[in-house]
Amino acid sequence: MGIQIVHFLHQSNKKWGVVKGDSVLTIEKDFETLSSLLEEGIDNIKSLVDHQKGHLSLDEIEFLSPVTQPARIVCQGANYGSHRAESGLEAKRPPFNMIFTKADSSLSGAKDPIICPEHVKLLDYEIELGLVIGKEISESQVITEENLHEYVAGIVIANDVSARDVQLSQSQWYKGKSYRTFCPVGPYLYLLEKEDIPLINDLELKLWVNDELRQSTNTKDIIFKPDETLTELSEIMNFSPGDLLLTGTTGGVALRLSAEVTTELMNPVVSGEQKMKLILSSQSESNLYLKENDIVHCEIKSADGRINLGSLENKVVHAIPVNA
């Protein structure tokens, strides 16, 4: 069975630890990055736990993102049929895997606020299962369910926060999804054992906004599976230990588009100004977008309880105007 890892701040010191019930057993050795921690391997990490004086209550610590900079954050878009349908796309498997990236400066902790930029009007949420890469990938690889454990070190909860007005009016997915604090991660990084790997395709994802359940799915409904996706991406780019692959979100986000509006937004002839008017007009009746003081709560766990990634809970606040 794997272990739950936390990255945290305690008495102004950054530390790593292993979760045991309601406590954290601190890891004696200091690691600057997730990559350097992963170099130890799961068995060595277990041996580095301070059993004598390393006990801290979870209430005593401030959670930091277990994914640390520098890290590639590579994302799969529209990778659940239900989300495709509400985005004005066909729900069936498309002919290609939609890939984009987020800046690693968007990473934030499990209890940190989501800061909405002053100009953003359509702030959206997306619960996603994050796969943490555990092995250097620098050439084309054939990755299967049987050898996936060699490439994926662990899994985390992530919220792919999105400024839909920026993303869709400017056709800038990277920009619309990369504002600082737009990628809360944690609280736990579950380091996988080989026997845990099948559970990646049978995890329950749930997201609430102010106690209202908005998203609920199981990873069995993912269209392009992790092994297939990593095989494809290995033909294109490099990965390093500690990098993050976000596997897509399910239906239930605030964004709801008709096929006609989606087609118009994808038309390169339509100006950015026209697209902005279109996206704002099409969403004007929605009350689902995130507002000041909303609480976004995410959980991912296996049905049998063997894997539990904890609770990612972030409050929405608006950025202080520059001229204030």
Side-chain angles (χ1 to χ4, degrees):
M1 184 173 176
I3 55 174
Q4 294 169 319
I5 296 290
V6 285
H7 188 208
F8 64 92
L9 194 64
H10 181 251
Q11 297 180 346
S12 301
N13 295 314
K14 289 184 180 181
K15 301 290 291 184
W16 296 87
V18 176
V19 178
K20 291 292 183 184
D22 294 329
S23 299
V24 177
L25 305 179
T26 58
I27 293 172
E28 294 174 330
K29 190 174 176 181
D30 290 331
F31 297 95
E32 189 68 26
T33 64
L34 174 57
S35 177
S36 60
L37 175 69
L38 293 176
E39 287 178 6
E40 294 288 331
I42 189 169
D43 290 333
N44 283 345
I45 290 172
K46 290 177 181 178
S47 70
L48 291 171
V49 170
D50 187 343
H51 292 279
Q52 300 302 316
K53 56 181 180 179
H55 287 260
L56 293 170
S57 166
L58 288 172
D59 295 332
E60 294 180 71
I61 66 174
E62 179 182 340
F63 290 106
L64 302 172
S65 170
V67 178
T68 60
Q69 298 182 50
R72 300 175 180 91
I73 305 177
V74 182
C75 312
Q76 294 178 260
N79 201 31
Y80 286 81
S82 56
H83 182 48
R84 292 183 60 79
E86 69 186 7
S87 300
L89 304 169
E90 290 186 344
K92 66 181 182 181
R93 178 184 170 104
F96 58 86
N97 206 340
M98 184 186 294
I99 303 296
F100 61 95
T101 58
K102 289 172 78 87
D104 63 1
S105 52
S106 66
L107 289 166
S108 61
K111 307 298 179 183
D112 291 344
I114 296 168
I115 301 174
C116 181
E118 184 183 3
H119 62 280
V120 171
K121 296 178 175 62
L122 303 177
L123 187 69
D124 209 348
Y125 49 85
E126 295 187 5
I127 186 174
E128 307 210 8
L129 174 68
L131 307 182
V132 173
I133 302 301
K135 179 178 181 178
E136 197 77 34
I137 301 175
S138 57
E139 60 184 7
S140 180
Q141 301 285 332
V142 177
I143 300 171
T144 65
E145 290 186 7
E146 286 69 35
N147 67 4
L148 186 62
H149 67 281
E150 299 176 15
Y151 297 90
V152 176
I155 53 178
V156 293
I157 306 172
N159 185 353
D160 178 19
V161 180
S162 307
R164 299 298 192 191
D165 39 345
V166 175
Q167 174 193 352
L168 298 173
S169 69
Q170 300 182 20
S171 299
Q172 294 263 21
W173 286 47
Y174 181 81
K175 185 175 176 181
K177 290 172 172 282
S178 288
Y179 291 95
R180 294 178 185 89
T181 74
F182 272 30
C183 193
V185 174
Y188 306 149
L189 163 62
Y190 185 88
L191 294 183
L192 297 154
E193 297 279 16
K194 183 178 180 180
E195 60 268 22
D196 296 319
I197 290 294
L199 288 175
I200 290 178
N201 294 318
D202 192 15
L203 295 171
E204 297 174 348
L205 284 67
K206 294 184 185 295
L207 178 146
W208 295 261
V209 176
N210 301 330
D211 299 323
E212 178 189 356
L213 182 63
R214 295 277 186 90
Q215 292 185 279
S216 180
T217 193
N218 188 290
T219 52
K220 65 185 178 184
D221 294 330
I222 285 176
I223 296 172
F224 291 96
K225 303 296 185 185
D227 53 324
E228 179 182 7
T229 299
L230 285 174
T231 296
E232 177 186 354
L233 291 176
S234 76
E235 299 170 357
I236 303 167
M237 60 176 291
N238 295 343
F239 282 97
S240 299
D243 288 344
L244 182 64
L245 174 65
L246 300 186
T247 56
T249 200
T250 187
V253 300
L255 180 70
R256 308 290 167 87
L257 295 174
S258 67
E260 292 75 20
V261 170
T262 296
T263 299
E264 195 75 358
L265 289 171
M266 295 173 65
N267 187 343
V269 176
V270 178
S271 70
E273 184 179 358
Q274 289 174 303
K275 288 180 180 180
M276 179 64 84
K277 289 180 180 178
L278 179 60
I279 186 63
L280 292 178
S281 173
S282 70
Q283 304 303 295
S284 62
E285 301 295 318
S286 174
N287 62 355
L288 297 177
Y289 286 97
L290 296 173
K291 301 175 289 295
E292 179 90 10
N293 296 322
D294 280 350
I295 304 294
V296 186
H297 181 102
C298 304
E299 294 183 1
I300 297 180
K301 59 184 71 172
S302 59
D304 63 4
R306 197 165 97 192
I307 294 178
N308 185 341
L309 302 185
S311 297
L312 181 68
E313 188 169 284
N314 308 95
K315 183 177 181 178
V316 177
V317 301
H318 279 78
I320 298 172
V322 175
N323 298 321

